[in-house]
């Protein structure tokens, strides 16, 4: 579904991403770890096509189509959706209207969808105006539910969310990715076989891993990807040892992969 090759990106003339190679298959969920300032958000903003993120080399192919220099609205129409860590407030635009725009004419019961994320009381308020962290996340998820993208980009879905909202956010993210309710009785293997929606998730805390069926993970460090392994293995290693092994990985050390565990 997504193929990134030798991607170099600069922001205001400063190189941030330095040769990113990444492939995400249809139905696959990829987790991206990394310290602050390593380039994770830059990667997502570049994939979404935001201005100010200059691709100086490399390519981005989505669904077999080169979108390296495509405008943001075209990427959204092709099926890429993003949940922001800090989305802007849009005064004068009711959230209900925003969700209708995301639906692009498809018939949907927006009020019923809003109830699923406990957001029905906020539909007539301007987008993100005075919303708490949890309310902002639920608003973002409602918009993605209406958009129904094929590739979901999540920039720290746990950020600013309390424990009660985290469970709701986590279960909703899983439903968006798996295409079935989080309470579905299907086995993990059956759910993976039936998935068609792909996801790229940035996480610092790893809380989202308690809810989503993540397939692969890597660490971004100094604008490069390294240390591929199972997401929980990476998270445990970072918790115990920090990011020091990433320096060895980038230097070509044989310990580049955190653990030779099969990605199943």
């Amino acid at each position: 579904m997504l193929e990134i090759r030798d991607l170099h990106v600069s922001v205001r003339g400063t190189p941030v991403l330095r040769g990113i190679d990444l492939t995400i298959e249809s139905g696959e969920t990829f987790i991206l770890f990394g310290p602050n300032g390593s380039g994770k958000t830059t990667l997502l903003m570049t994939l979404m096509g935001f201005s100010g993120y200059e691709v100086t080399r490399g390519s981005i192919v989505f669904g077999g189509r080169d979108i390296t220099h495509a405008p943001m609205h075209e990427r959204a129409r092709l099926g890429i959706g993003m949940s922001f860590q800090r989305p802007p407030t849009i005064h004068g635009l009711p959230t209900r209207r925003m969700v209708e725009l995301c639906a692009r004419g498809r018939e949907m019961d927006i009020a019923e969808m809003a109830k699923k994320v406990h957001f029905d009381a906020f539909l007539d308020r301007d987008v993100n105006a005075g919303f708490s962290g949890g309310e902002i996340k639920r608003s973002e998820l409602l918009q993605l539910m209406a958009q129904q993208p094929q590739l979901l980009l999540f920039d720290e879905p746990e950020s600013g969310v309390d424990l009660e909202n985290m469970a709701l956010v986590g279960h909703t993210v899983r439903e968006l990715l798996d295409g079935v309710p989080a309470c579905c009785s299907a086995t993990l293997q059956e759910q993976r076989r039936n998935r068609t929606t792909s996801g790229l998730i940035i996480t610092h805390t790893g809380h989202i891993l308690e809810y989503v069926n993540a397939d692969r993970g890597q660490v971004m460090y100094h604008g490069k990807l390294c240390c591929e392994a199972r997401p929980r293995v990476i998270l445990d290693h970072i918790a115990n040892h920090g990011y020091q092994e990433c320096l060895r990985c980038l230097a070509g050390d044989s310990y580049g992969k955190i653990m030779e565990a099969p990605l199943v």
Side-chain angles (χ1 to χ4, degrees), residues 98-124:
M98 182 68 162
V99 176
E100 290 173 349
L101 292 170
C102 291
R104 292 182 295 167
R106 290 188 293 265
E107 287 192 17
M108 295 182 176
D109 189 336
I110 293 175
E112 191 62 31
M113 289 168 53
K115 286 181 181 179
K116 287 186 175 182
V117 288
H118 302 175
F119 200 78
D120 44 311
F122 302 89
L123 284 173
D124 295 319

Side-chain angles (χ1 to χ4, degrees), residues 221 227 237-238 241-250 255:
Y221 205 86
C227 302
H237 195 89
I238 293 170
H241 306 285
Y243 288 100
Q244 291 307 305
E245 295 295 346
C246 301
L247 296 174
R248 295 173 60 186
C249 177
L250 290 171
Y255 195 67

Side-chain angles (χ1 to χ4, degrees), residues 17-78:
L17 302 183
R18 301 172 172 86
I20 300 298
D21 291 297
L22 176 63
T23 299
I24 299 178
E25 302 293 342
S26 178
E28 186 176 42
T29 297
F30 190 93
I31 305 292
L32 186 59
F33 302 89
N36 291 329
S38 58
K40 303 184 302 300
T41 296
T42 293
L43 175 60
L44 263 60
M45 299 293 271
T46 301
L47 293 177
M48 200 67 243
F50 276 83
S51 61
Y53 297 85
E54 181 187 3
V55 176
T56 57
R57 196 166 82 194
S59 63
I60 304 169
V61 177
F62 174 69
R65 180 170 178 173
D66 191 326
I67 61 167
T68 309
H69 302 291
M72 186 191 312
H73 69 271
E74 184 176 323
R75 301 181 196 215
R77 287 174 178 167
L78 287 172

Side-chain angles (χ1 to χ4, degrees), residues 37-178:
S38 58
K40 303 184 302 300
T41 296
T42 293
L43 175 60
L44 263 60
M45 299 293 271
T46 301
L47 293 177
M48 200 67 243
F50 276 83
S51 61
Y53 297 85
E54 181 187 3
V55 176
T56 57
R57 196 166 82 194
S59 63
I60 304 169
V61 177
F62 174 69
R65 180 170 178 173
D66 191 326
I67 61 167
T68 309
H69 302 291
M72 186 191 312
H73 69 271
E74 184 176 323
R75 301 181 196 215
R77 287 174 178 167
L78 287 172
I80 303 178
M82 182 171 173
S83 173
F84 300 86
Q85 182 182 0
R86 299 182 184 89
T89 298
I90 307 177
H91 294 289
L93 178 63
T95 303
R96 185 189 301 273
R97 180 56 181 152
M98 182 68 162
V99 176
E100 290 173 349
L101 292 170
C102 291
R104 292 182 295 167
R106 290 188 293 265
E107 287 192 17
M108 295 182 176
D109 189 336
I110 293 175
E112 191 62 31
M113 289 168 53
K115 286 181 181 179
K116 287 186 175 182
V117 288
H118 302 175
F119 200 78
D120 44 311
F122 302 89
L123 284 173
D124 295 319
R125 289 175 54 177
D126 290 353
V127 176
N128 298 327
F131 289 178
S132 68
E135 291 161 357
I136 287 174
K137 293 298 181 185
R138 286 166 14 223
S139 174
E140 294 276 284
L141 291 171
L142 179 58
Q143 293 167 48
L144 289 175
M145 290 164 65
Q147 184 187 350
Q148 298 180 352
Q150 293 176 284
L151 175 64
L152 290 151
L153 309 175
F154 292 98
D155 192 352
E156 296 190 39
E158 315 99 326
S159 177
V161 180
D162 59 34
L163 290 177
E164 183 177 8
N165 276 297
M166 187 62 242
L168 177 61
V169 168
H171 286 306
T172 306
V173 170
R174 177 174 170 178
E175 289 188 25
L176 284 166
L177 291 169
D178 288 356

